[in-house]
Amino acid sequence: MSDDKPTPNIDDLVIDVEAEKAAKIAAAKAAAAKKAAEEASPKDPWEEKPVPPVHSDAADDDDVTALNGALEGSVVGADHFAGAVTVTVRAEKILDVCRFLKEERDYDFLVDQTAVDWPEREEGRFDLIYWLHRYSDSKRLRLRAIVGEDQTLESVAPVWGAANWMEREVYDLFGVVFENHPGLERILTWEGFNGHPLRKDFPVEGIDTGAAIYPDVYPSGGGPIQPDEGEGA
Amino acid sequence: MTMKGPERPLFDVEEMEVSFGPQHPATHGVLRVQMKLDGERIVEAKPIIGYLHRGTEKLFETMTFPACIPHTDRLDYVNAAHNNQGFCVTMEKLLGISIPPRAAYLRMILAELQRLASHLVWFATHAVDIGAITPFFYTFRERDDILDLFEEYCGARLTLNCMKIGGLPFELPEGWLDRCAEFVDAFPSHIDEYETLLTTNRIWKKRTIGVGVISPEDAIDMGLTGPPLRGSGIEWDIRKVFPYDRYDEVEFDVPTGTNCDTYDRYLVRVEEMRQSTRILRQCLEKLPEGPIMAKAPKVLRSPEGMVYGSVESPKGELGYFIVATENGTEPYRCRVRPPSFVNLQSLPKMVEGSLVADLMAVIGTLDIVLGEIDR
């Protein structure tokens, strides 16, 4: 009976092992290729890790070179970030710069004007931001002027009518004074309000505005109401 | 000059100061207009605002980026979806997130439904201010259908909080798209119905044609945006000029007026409702499958810089200006550019020299919301 058993052919065995090896290698290769192909094929942008925008120098921007040519020394720096150019200009030249941009560069729409408070900064406490729009090619430009706490700034209300209320708001909430403004009054808070709410040193809880008729309940300087102390009054 | 006898006028000709509001239903909130009148004619009008100031911009500085979104709902409270969208679009610009197409299309659907809802409120209140009470009952019927759709989607009817930085918080409930399509199909016939009430109405025309005129030059100078600017004949829409989400993939027209008056602004807004249904129909057709959130980190940390993003809200250009610090989790400063605030500024220009009754028409046509003006 033992003769009937086919004797294992040594060559077959060798081939089997090698074929197995080859198959394994091929499978591994295929997997690697698939992985590589997956990596190479572009993923949809929403599946990627988001890449935040970066700053770049914008000194060669048309408007910056035009400003430098017409009003020498007015531009301090220019920065490109998230699709917009921010031009830092000297605060004392702001009216000239705005006039020039409106009359010569067609920026006839003041979209927004606001301020940012940096209390610790040495160059000056406030950033005044002007956000301009040009209708002809839909270009937008941001102006930034740095002013100190005691410094005043020329009003741009004569250039764009829209600046009137925006400057009143900046005056109200930040305390930046605009010269030659047609009527610089508080706008969101009332005349007689003490303090400028959007300054960083103004408490978020608010202050005692003098309207508190129960001084025992409402502590001076603001803060949460203290009902316990007020019970005796 | 003193006159005697029958030649003497009944009242002395002198200016009278009248304060209109802040507690007056026709001011759409708490707006006060201090007027100097010469009889029925307005010599000087001065809007006084700030009665609803809540310090929202200050509050933004104390909370993380995603936590700001519910607060944006409260700015323009008849138009929460656009407020959410504006903030999310700006934040995505700052963080470099691009959102999946399904999320973008769903946002557009929500935003256009919200535009219809907001314009319906305008239609109703504007007409009531001028004396036509009936449109109110017609428009609020459809507005309620829209609010039902919102409620089904996110649980809220007014303060929606329906968008997230990087996409949307929820997938649509079952059957929502069918119900939305049903509404969109029926809506144009409702617009025709509203128009039969006012468009050719003689009283309505008398009260609006030639009232509150503002020239295109003045409109640009005063920074008007939205329907008031388009009513003055300037074809300008953020959805066309700076397309966000997927507005560059849908077709729609930007209606404009020619006479720069209240009637033209009325026609512009009515046409905008038709265009919104057109956008809605395309969005419903094209709505792709896929995820509704981009792969954004759980804790959002910002790069240092300033960013401005804007959307076309029913009132005009709604912009968010965010100043962020390196690795910050909350905005260092977040300024809202409210369209109503800037548009209201031209109120004196539009009413001075006209009658007191026209003031109501002009306030209505500016479509202001005080929550957004006072912030």
Side-chain angles (χ1 to χ4, degrees):
Chain A
M1 292 295 279
S2 64
D3 288 343
D4 291 349
K5 256 189 192 171
T7 43
N9 189 337
I10 191 76
D11 287 344
D12 284 354
L13 277 178
V14 170
I15 288 164
D16 273 351
V17 170
E18 278 198 349
E20 232 168 74
K21 252 189 189 170
K24 264 187 189 168
I25 289 168
K29 267 188 183 165
K34 201 179 162 194
K35 204 178 169 190
E38 250 173 34
E39 270 170 15
S41 75
K43 257 199 224 170
D44 291 320
W46 50 89
E47 287 168 352
E48 303 263 14
K49 204 173 166 239
V51 184
V54 287
H55 293 269
S56 62
D57 189 47
D60 53 351
D61 186 80
D62 290 356
D63 297 308
V64 180
T65 46
L67 265 179
N68 265 330
L71 302 161
E72 214 173 306
S74 60
V75 177
V76 180
D79 172 54
H80 185 275
F81 179 73
V85 174
T86 306
V87 185
T88 308
V89 296
R90 283 192 198 292
E92 55 272 20
K93 299 237 172 150
I94 191 73
L95 189 61
D96 295 338
V97 168
C98 289
R99 276 238 164 82
F100 172 78
L101 286 173
K102 190 191 175 189
E103 282 157 17
E104 308 293 326
R105 307 288 300 171
D106 280 342
Y107 282 102
D108 44 11
F109 175 26
L110 176 72
V111 185
D112 196 12
Q113 184 185 352
T114 186
V116 187
D117 183 17
W118 304 92
E120 308 295 324
R121 197 169 59 179
E122 279 175 20
E123 302 99 285
R125 182 165 176 180
F126 299 105
D127 272 350
L128 265 286
I129 308 286
Y130 301 76
W131 186 223
L132 318 180
H133 179 85
R134 178 160 67 193
Y135 278 98
S136 55
D137 60 348
S138 298
K139 194 193 164 187
R140 293 199 160 180
L141 183 74
R142 185 180 294 126
L143 295 181
R144 181 173 82 138
I146 299 173
V147 289
E149 203 172 344
D150 316 316
Q151 247 176 308
T152 60
L153 197 74
E154 201 70 31
S155 163
V156 298
V159 186
W160 297 286
N164 186 334
W165 278 22
M166 296 182 191
E167 284 183 349
R168 277 177 66 187
E169 194 186 319
V170 170
Y171 162 71
D172 185 2
L173 302 181
F174 288 92
V176 178
V177 177
F178 294 93
E179 279 171 40
N180 304 324
H181 187 279
L184 198 63
E185 292 172 33
R186 283 180 179 272
I187 187 162
L188 291 181
T189 62
W190 59 96
E191 221 42 69
F193 182 81
N194 188 17
H196 302 287
L198 276 183
R199 286 189 176 193
K200 287 282 175 187
D201 47 16
F202 189 93
V204 180
E205 302 79 34
I207 54 162
D208 186 349
T209 57
I213 44 171
Y214 300 109
D216 303 330
V217 184
Y218 300 95
S220 68
I225 303 168
Q226 295 164 344
D228 293 337
E229 288 179 25
E231 266 174 7
Chain B
M1 186 176 75
T2 52
M3 286 183 279
K4 283 177 184 168
E7 284 165 21
R8 190 175 173 276
L10 191 57
F11 300 109
D12 290 332
V13 180
E14 61 178 30
E15 279 180 10
M16 184 165 58
E17 268 198 33
V18 172
S19 181
F20 172 69
Q23 281 84 24
H24 191 290
T27 58
H28 295 207
V30 277
L31 167 70
R32 179 173 166 218
V33 185
Q34 213 171 26
M35 294 183 288
K36 277 194 186 136
L37 302 181
D38 174 8
E40 269 284 300
R41 225 155 259 289
I42 301 170
V43 179
E44 198 187 309
K46 188 183 171 197
I48 297 171
I49 58 173
Y51 293 96
L52 206 57
H53 181 55
R54 293 154 295 176
T56 310
E57 289 177 12
K58 184 88 176 167
L59 286 176
F60 281 155
E61 293 171 10
T62 65
M63 50 187 72
T64 56
F65 294 120
C68 293
I69 298 174
H71 285 263
T72 64
D73 286 339
R74 276 83 182 161
L75 292 169
D76 179 352
Y77 39 73
V78 297
N79 175 32
H82 284 97
N83 296 320
N84 296 164
Q85 198 181 17
F87 188 80
C88 292
V89 164
T90 313
M91 278 312 296
E92 283 150 14
K93 212 168 164 183
L94 176 70
L95 302 172
I97 299 173
S98 54
I99 68 169
R102 185 177 172 81
Y105 272 94
L106 285 177
R107 274 190 190 180
M108 278 156 66
I109 292 175
L110 290 169
E112 293 307 318
L113 282 174
Q114 184 76 84
R115 188 183 314 278
L116 290 179
S118 171
H119 275 1
L120 289 178
V121 173
W122 156 80
F123 195 99
T125 51
H126 188 29
V128 165
D129 288 351
I130 293 182
I133 295 175
T134 316
F136 204 101
F137 305 111
Y138 283 71
T139 60
F140 268 58
R141 186 185 57 196
E142 270 72 58
R143 181 173 176 261
D144 214 54
D145 292 344
I146 298 175
L147 298 190
D148 284 344
L149 285 172
F150 283 142
E151 189 178 5
E152 213 183 327
Y153 174 65
C154 62
R157 292 168 74 84
L158 288 175
T159 49
L160 302 178
N161 190 15
C162 64
M163 291 177 199
K164 261 170 98 175
I165 299 167
L168 290 169
F170 320 109
E171 188 44 80
L172 293 177
E174 216 168 286
W176 193 88
L177 282 174
D178 299 333
R179 283 185 284 279
C180 185
E182 202 178 301
F183 171 80
V184 171
D185 288 339
F187 195 69
S189 66
H190 291 305
I191 303 178
D192 295 340
E193 197 180 7
Y194 311 145
E195 279 210 277
T196 57
L197 296 168
L198 295 181
T199 307
T200 51
N201 184 324
R202 270 165 66 192
I203 305 169
W204 180 257
K205 281 180 145 178
K206 280 254 176 204
R207 289 296 307 273
T208 54
I209 292 177
V211 170
V213 177
I214 186 155
S215 69
E217 295 78 30
D218 279 349
I220 290 177
D221 183 53
M222 297 306 286
L224 284 186
T225 48
L229 181 67
R230 291 194 279 274
S232 292
I234 293 163
E235 193 182 328
W236 198 73
D237 191 310
I238 296 282
R239 289 174 293 175
K240 289 271 188 204
V241 184
F242 302 112
Y244 49 94
D245 288 346
R246 291 288 196 277
Y247 274 108
D248 45 350
E249 292 175 9
V250 291
E251 278 176 23
F252 63 100
D253 299 327
V254 179
T256 53
T258 45
N259 299 327
C260 320
D261 61 4
T262 303
Y263 187 68
D264 272 27
R265 287 187 282 269
Y266 158 77
L267 292 179
V268 163
R269 286 200 178 93
V270 170
E271 183 54 32
E272 268 185 46
M273 288 202 261
R274 289 186 206 284
Q275 296 299 331
S276 281
T277 48
R278 211 174 135 195
I279 298 173
L280 276 169
R281 207 169 280 143
Q282 293 175 54
C283 289
L284 290 171
E285 264 170 35
K286 288 185 176 177
L287 183 67
E289 291 297 318
I292 53 163
M293 264 303 281
K295 197 182 159 194
K298 285 245 154 53
V299 178
L300 299 169
R301 290 193 181 276
S302 61
E304 180 266 323
M306 304 176 195
V307 68
Y308 177 91
S310 56
V311 294
E312 182 72 29
S313 100
K315 274 83 183 173
E317 177 178 349
L318 171 70
Y320 285 85
F321 169 71
I322 296 173
V323 180
T325 49
E326 185 69 47
N327 264 335
T329 53
E330 51 202 43
Y332 185 79
R333 163 110 173 90
C334 178
R335 146 88 174 162
V336 186
R337 189 245 184 230
S340 299
F341 178 86
V342 188
N343 290 356
L344 181 65
Q345 202 179 159
S346 23
L347 180 83
K349 231 179 203 147
M350 290 161 89
V351 297
E352 272 165 15
S354 55
L355 300 175
V356 177
D358 293 339
L359 177 71
M360 270 56 123
V362 173
I363 290 175
T365 192
L366 284 173
D367 193 15
I368 51 167
V369 165
L370 269 295
E372 177 176 73
I373 292 172
D374 295 342
R375 276 159 287 143

